[in-house]
Amino acid sequence: MLLPRQVRPKENGSGWTDPTIVFSPGDFTGDGYTDVITRATDGILWLYRGDGTGNFVGARKKIGDGWNTITKIT
């Protein structure tokens, strides 16, 4: 059963082989939509802004680097 504001999972693109971690912090940008953050093998954190329908808005945005030594992100 889906709770309010939950979206069913769906495939969104291909080529997601570089991220070592993929997670959602919720509404990271404050626009009311759930976002996704990934960590690449080189330690760069990338933000993918959600649009509320399971898709992403615009290009990914670099939000950090040096995270390749971190073992857990919560």
Side-chain angles (χ1 to χ4, degrees):
M1 178 163 111
L2 292 177
L3 300 174
R5 297 191 55 89
Q6 284 186 312
V7 178
R8 292 186 189 280
K10 72 175 193 174
E11 183 175 334
N12 194 330
S14 60
W16 287 71
T17 57
D18 184 47
T20 57
I21 294 177
V22 177
F23 67 99
S24 176
D27 181 13
F28 186 80
T29 60
D31 62 1
Y33 302 118
T34 302
D35 305 307
V36 172
I37 295 176
T38 66
R39 181 187 66 189
T41 55
D42 59 5
I44 295 176
L45 291 184
W46 293 102
L47 169 66
Y48 294 83
R49 293 177 38 229
D51 70 356
T53 66
N55 295 304
F56 300 119
V57 177
R60 67 184 183 173
K61 178 180 179 183
K62 180 180 174 182
I63 59 170
D65 56 28
W67 287 78
N68 48 329
T69 60
I70 306 300
T71 58
K72 293 182 183 179
I73 299 175
T74 59

